[in-house]
Amino acid sequence: MEQTQSGRPRVEIEYCTQCRWLLRAGWVAQELLTTFAEELGEVALKPGQGGVFLVRLNGELLCDRKADGGFPDLAQLKQRLRDRIAPDRDLGHSERRPSAEN
């Protein structure tokens, strides 16, 4: 498992340079660092090619743009990350709660 020297988790965002997705990768990184400022040790941006946009936590794939059929929904990505690094944490307004069935 990849972790930082502090022992806190490492997120890696691999993005396609040919598609010019650096700004999107930077935005996702900023959102994750803002939300998980105390839990994460590092968010790294990794240049790639061929339409790649992957988000990994300690080497484990959290989302893949190609396999998932599009870019990750940020709220859903935050929930996936939270479930692995801080399962008891409330994400506030971005938390998706199941709607009540009538």
Side-chain angles (χ1 to χ4, degrees), residues 6-102:
S6 68
R8 293 188 294 176
R10 178 182 193 268
V11 171
E12 177 184 277
I13 302 169
E14 185 175 354
Y15 65 95
C16 180
T17 57
Q18 297 166 314
C19 301
R20 302 193 184 280
W21 287 337
L22 173 60
L23 288 178
R24 182 181 296 265
W27 171 70
V28 171
Q30 176 184 341
E31 286 291 322
L32 296 180
L33 284 167
T34 299
T35 302
F36 300 103
E38 300 300 317
E39 293 88 357
L40 290 176
E42 175 180 325
V43 175
L45 300 179
K46 180 179 177 183
Q49 294 185 350
V52 67
F53 196 92
L54 306 170
V55 180
R56 295 182 185 94
L57 170 65
N58 295 333
E60 174 192 354
L61 188 63
L62 289 182
C63 64
D64 176 347
R65 185 195 65 81
K66 289 181 183 179
D68 298 341
F71 287 101
D73 174 76
L74 190 57
Q76 189 176 46
L77 176 58
K78 287 180 180 183
Q79 287 177 6
R80 287 181 191 172
L81 183 58
R82 183 274 320 268
D83 290 348
R84 286 168 177 78
I85 67 172
D88 296 329
R89 175 142 184 231
D90 181 22
L91 291 176
H93 71 278
S94 65
E95 185 79 54
R96 289 198 179 156
R97 302 191 194 290
S99 59
E101 293 183 11
N102 297 330

